[in-house]
Amino acid sequence: MWLRCGRTSNYFTSFSCRVFRSRLDVLGRRGCKTAAFMPEAAGFEGVSSRSELQELSVSRSSSSFWAAVARHRLSWISPFTTVQDCDLSRGRIKWFEGGQLNVSVNCLDRHVHTCPDRVALIWERDEPGSEVRVTYRQLLEMTCRVGNLLRRHGVKRGDCVTIYMPTCPLAVASMLACARIGAAHNVVFAGFSAEALSERIRDAQSSVVITVNQGVRGGKVTELKRTVDEAVQSCPAIRRVFVAMRTEAAVVMTARDVAMEEEMSTEDAVCEPAAMDSEDILFLLYTSGSTGKPKGLVHTQAGYLLYAALTHRYVFDYHDGDVFGCVADIGWITGHSYSVYGPLANGGTTVLFESTPIYPDPGRYWEMVQRLKINQFYGAPTAIRLLLKYGDQWVKKYDRSSLKTLGSVGEPINTEAWEWYYSVVGDRRCPVVDTWWQTETGGICIAPRPSDPDAEIVPGMAMRPFFGIKPVLMDTEGKVVTSNNTSGALCIAQPWPGMARSIHNNHQRFTETYCQPYPGYFYTGDGAYRSKEGYYQITGRLDDVINVSGHRIGTAEIEDVVNQCSAVAESAVIGISHDIKGQGVYAFVVLKKSADAQESDVSRQLKEAVSKKIAKYACPDHIQIVKRLPKTRSGKIMRRVLRKVVERELDGLGDLSTLDDPAVVQEIIDGHAELLRKQQSQ
């Protein structure tokens, strides 16, 4: 791992470093509290509160908002001439055209210029207590060496480099090196199988892969180089595989393989950054599609970086000197936006988490918070529910006084998990920001913050749209629902800089998926409820809506009630075919370790609770008690697998290599069979 100090690029001196912090003193003298919160607001006439700032950002003057923010928060080589040129009905999305910049310079050089020895990355390795700190100066050198190495091996502007690595500093440097030389990156989660990896390599048209010899996670070693070797057998375009060493274990090297650290040592520590157009591709990131074929979503340079930085700063109330702890893997959009690009664009210190929440014990997160003095913690509800199951003692064992903000991401957080997170983890003093966004949106779109300091936060609700986001609800006839205390399909009424631009090699699929269902609006695929106060609550994917006897209900709503039972740790609800009702409800339930109730009693309690709190029609037809749920390594529950088990389509289970432990599937299959036998014998 490269940590020697290097030089900053001379090219940086030509950049206009109009960083917004320099304006605070001037603006403070104007007595504008809103300008102290967001300095650019001083230039917006008639804006004197955060709510008025939000209104401006979605009004006809929204371009003036984004222009001001972009000019002062990004360093430009050439200024943009057009703020936006967008037509959602046609899937045309362009921001800051005419402008040129380099993302790696915005994330590294300008901070090296002012604070070279500030810590950029804290690598929380799998082995507890063995963290590695990397300064901005060191990260810039590492990035430049990787950039020069890629250039020497023929990687050109416009190429796409596939990165198959665990979360580590060299993976971040590889992402930034691609950005520096004008290549796009395609980070593939290091838990994917060889088949899944090869599919993404081919679709991205990569000729270069960067990987490590082995991955280490939760005390277990995975053979990543071996997976790459298998994958590239069906990828004839691959010319080079760069192999870094995470462990000491030797691996078989072929003629196309390059020992990465050894070659980096011969490269220069200065790499001239490419001047990139605002709408050049920054990265591809593949996400699951309804057809089963992954979608390579395209994110571009300026708009994505600006939106990641702005949301990171204001949703989490991040300030200079804070330590930001996002525990997502870099293979997912959360890792891209809130482990890498957002924090680094803001000159922050960001934690790279390599391990699991329960290794070596369920106190891992909180021991890390104490040791690294983390100020903002951002994790998944499924991990919170998992840790809740182990009890409060693992949390209270450690000092969490450094925490200022808690965040959740990935799926709606149920009220019991929210309350535990707020009361136990945060000692009832840290706001919990339940964030809603997607790979497609690039960054957080709906969250309780930013808002006025004394504004309420409602448990389990994402609540308020971020600057520039104008959510709307659509009814079944495709009309905008204007009233409150109602539900509908969640759409966004106007474009924003961070949104994806296309699906790689298939723009038609992009427009059909996101722009055509409700012409003129961006269709999220999620359902939402808007309260009488105008707050938003995500009710789940619309394909996770169950239609029982003509009544539509989101699976997340049922799960929320189930999870409120004192004996339940977490649950997953799916719809199943029903001869009479059309669809029935099937609930998979994990009990807390401390629960001593009989399964039959728990099932009865859950059915009564759902009937009482929602309706009798929502009552689960089947409740299967399981030891655990099938989850990806990022913590998402694989409901697709649960549906296949219940529907007895075991041949259609598909690739299970992304699961944290594929053995859980057989446990659920056996449990389902046993449940059927019991029901048939009654």
Side-chain angles (χ1 to χ4, degrees):
M1 173 154 177
W2 285 94
L3 297 177
R4 291 200 299 269
C5 295
R7 299 160 286 166
T8 59
S9 169
N10 292 331
Y11 199 49
F12 176 64
T13 59
S14 68
F15 279 67
S16 56
C17 300
R18 290 169 288 192
V19 182
F20 70 94
R21 297 188 198 96
S22 64
R23 304 180 66 213
L24 277 172
D25 291 339
V26 174
L27 296 167
R29 289 194 294 270
R30 298 181 185 179
C32 178
K33 292 183 180 179
T34 307
F37 167 73
M38 179 178 283
E40 296 89 341
F44 303 143
E45 190 173 342
V47 173
S48 59
S49 68
R50 298 184 190 185
S51 59
E52 289 177 351
L53 191 60
Q54 167 66 24
E55 291 172 10
L56 173 76
S57 74
V58 294
S59 71
R60 292 183 179 180
S61 300
S62 62
S63 288
S64 64
F65 171 86
W66 288 116
V69 172
R71 288 191 185 104
H72 291 102
R73 292 176 190 258
L74 298 181
S75 296
W76 297 88
I77 301 170
S78 302
F80 53 87
T81 55
T82 303
V83 179
Q84 61 173 299
D85 177 17
C86 305
D87 183 349
L88 283 179
S89 63
R90 298 182 180 181
R92 186 179 74 239
I93 305 149
K94 296 182 183 297
W95 285 85
F96 311 120
E97 286 187 295
Q100 289 188 319
L101 78 171
N102 186 278
V103 165
S104 77
V105 168
N106 276 271
C107 290
L108 299 175
D109 300 61
R110 62 176 178 171
H111 308 311
V112 171
H113 187 70
T114 57
C115 46
D117 296 321
R118 174 181 291 175
V119 174
L121 309 176
I122 303 177
W123 182 23
E124 175 68 4
R125 289 154 45 97
D126 191 57
E127 303 87 354
S130 63
E131 74 273 8
V132 175
R133 286 173 167 80
V134 183
T135 68
Y136 273 92
R137 191 201 311 264
Q138 293 167 334
L139 183 56
L140 175 60
E141 179 190 342
M142 199 187 314
T143 296
C144 286
R145 290 183 183 274
V146 176
N148 287 328
L149 179 63
L150 293 174
R151 274 178 173 162
R152 180 160 63 86
H153 284 272
V155 177
K156 307 182 300 298
R157 175 180 178 139
D159 289 350
C160 184
V161 175
T162 292
I163 299 171
Y164 185 73
M165 304 176 79
T167 300
C168 63
L170 191 53
V172 174
S174 297
M175 296 166 70
L176 293 170
C178 290
R180 196 167 191 85
I181 67 174
H185 59 70
N186 165 37
V187 181
V188 179
F189 172 58
F192 276 135
S193 66
E195 182 180 346
L197 174 60
S198 64
E199 183 178 22
R200 287 157 175 78
I201 291 173
R202 290 192 301 270
D203 191 76
Q205 299 166 298
S206 291
S207 61
V208 168
V209 175
I210 304 176
T211 191
V212 298
N213 63 335
Q214 295 178 318
V216 183
R217 187 172 182 273
K220 299 176 182 178
V221 173
T222 53
E223 302 294 338
L224 298 189
K225 171 61 163 57
R226 188 181 302 168
T227 301
V228 172
D229 288 342
E230 183 181 345
V232 300
Q233 289 178 10
S234 57
C235 302
I238 291 296
R239 296 183 291 103
R240 288 285 182 272
V241 175
F242 295 97
V243 184
M245 300 296 287
R246 170 59 180 89
T247 68
E248 299 297 322
V251 290
V252 176
M253 300 287 280
T254 68
R256 71 169 163 257
D257 298 332
V258 176
M260 191 167 183
E261 290 102 335
E262 185 179 324
E263 290 291 310
M264 284 171 60
S265 67
T266 67
E267 298 294 344
D268 194 69
V270 172
C271 177
E272 291 299 302
M276 303 301 291
D277 294 337
S278 294
E279 283 298 324
D280 284 338
I281 297 175
L282 177 60
F283 64 85
L284 307 181
L285 192 58
Y286 285 82
T287 185
S288 299
S290 58
T291 64
K293 178 178 171 56
K295 302 173 289 190
L297 289 161
V298 175
H299 281 284
T300 55
Q301 309 272 334
Y304 168 80
L305 185 66
L306 176 66
Y307 196 75
L310 202 67
T311 49
H312 170 258
R313 165 67 183 85
Y314 287 107
V315 171
F316 300 100
D317 193 27
Y318 184 88
H319 290 86
D320 280 351
D322 286 349
V323 176
F324 189 79
C326 172
V327 292
D329 191 280
I330 59 164
W332 311 115
I333 189 64
T334 304
H336 279 53
S337 297
Y338 301 112
S339 293
V340 181
Y341 287 113
L344 295 182
N346 287 330
T349 298
T350 180
V351 175
L352 304 176
F353 184 69
E354 186 183 39
S355 194
T356 76
I358 57 172
Y359 180 78
D361 57 52
R364 178 60 185 270
Y365 278 168
W366 323 124
E367 186 276 331
M368 177 180 70
V369 166
Q370 172 182 282
R371 176 165 36 87
L372 303 184
K373 294 180 168 52
I374 290 172
N375 303 113
Q376 293 88 9
F377 183 87
Y378 195 31
T382 187
I384 302 305
R385 289 192 292 266
L386 171 66
L387 296 174
L388 184 158
K389 183 170 71 171
Y390 287 94
D392 300 355
Q393 68 273 18
W394 289 105
V395 183
K396 295 181 177 180
K397 182 178 179 181
Y398 300 102
D399 178 8
R400 304 168 319 285
S401 60
S402 62
L403 288 172
K404 297 191 292 187
T405 302
L406 300 173
S408 69
V409 59
E411 59 183 303
I413 185 170
N414 57 295
T415 51
E416 187 197 13
W418 191 101
E419 291 286 359
W420 185 81
Y421 201 22
Y422 175 68
S423 300
V424 178
V425 176
D427 287 328
R428 304 188 68 83
R429 58 179 182 79
C430 301
V432 174
V433 288
D434 175 13
T435 63
W436 174 85
W437 59 297
Q438 304 171 326
T439 305
E440 292 86 342
T441 71
I444 295 164
C445 290
I446 305 178
R449 297 286 189 262
S451 59
D452 292 326
D454 58 349
E456 69 172 332
I457 294 181
V458 180
M461 296 189 80
M463 298 188 73
R464 302 177 179 94
F466 190 71
F467 299 119
I469 301 299
K470 190 175 182 179
V472 295
L473 300 181
M474 296 290 191
D475 64 20
T476 55
E477 297 179 358
K479 296 179 181 178
V480 175
V481 180
T482 57
S483 59
N484 286 348
N485 193 25
T486 190
S487 299
L490 179 63
C491 295
I492 301 178
Q494 59 192 45
W496 64 101
M499 67 190 300
R501 303 306 196 251
S502 187
I503 292 174
H504 184 57
N505 290 331
N506 197 343
H507 190 66
Q508 181 179 348
R509 185 183 180 191
F510 179 84
T511 57
E512 289 175 350
T513 303
Y514 304 109
C515 303
Q516 290 182 3
Y518 300 94
Y521 297 87
F522 180 85
Y523 173 57
T524 69
D526 280 336
Y529 164 73
R530 186 167 58 226
S531 70
K532 61 182 181 181
E533 297 85 3
Y535 301 148
Y536 288 88
Q537 180 176 28
I538 308 304
T539 54
R541 295 294 296 173
L542 289 178
D543 53 11
D544 285 338
V545 170
I546 304 173
N547 194 325
V548 181
S549 300
H551 301 285
R552 291 170 58 84
I553 185 164
T555 55
E557 189 174 354
I558 302 175
E559 289 168 3
D560 190 54
V561 173
V562 170
N563 292 343
Q564 289 177 32
C565 175
S566 59
V568 174
E570 62 178 336
S571 64
V573 170
I574 61 171
I576 58 172
S577 298
H578 194 284
D579 291 341
I580 298 174
K581 298 186 290 187
Q583 278 191 300
V585 178
Y586 197 113
F588 294 86
V589 175
V590 179
L591 300 181
K592 294 177 181 175
K593 290 186 179 298
S594 59
D596 57 0
Q598 295 293 319
E599 290 185 6
S600 58
D601 292 336
V602 172
S603 295
R604 178 180 50 78
Q605 291 173 16
L606 294 179
K607 290 181 178 182
E608 290 175 355
V610 173
S611 297
K612 181 179 179 180
K613 295 187 178 183
I614 303 178
K616 288 186 177 180
Y617 68 79
C619 182
D621 299 277
H622 307 279
I623 296 176
Q624 181 178 337
I625 307 297
V626 296
K627 294 180 180 178
R628 49 190 176 153
L629 296 170
K631 298 178 183 178
T632 66
R633 294 187 185 182
S634 67
K636 283 200 172 184
I637 298 170
M638 293 286 280
R639 289 172 174 81
R640 171 183 62 81
V641 171
L642 297 175
R643 290 190 192 95
K644 293 296 182 183
V645 170
V646 173
E647 293 165 0
R648 304 185 195 181
E649 295 179 6
L650 302 185
D651 291 337
L653 285 173
D655 183 11
L656 300 178
S657 65
T658 60
L659 294 178
D660 189 47
D661 185 358
V664 68
V665 178
Q666 190 58 51
E667 294 175 10
I668 291 172
I669 292 172
D670 294 341
H672 176 63
E674 179 62 26
L675 181 64
L676 290 180
R677 281 194 293 270
K678 287 182 179 178
Q679 292 176 341
Q680 290 170 356
S681 63
Q682 291 175 352

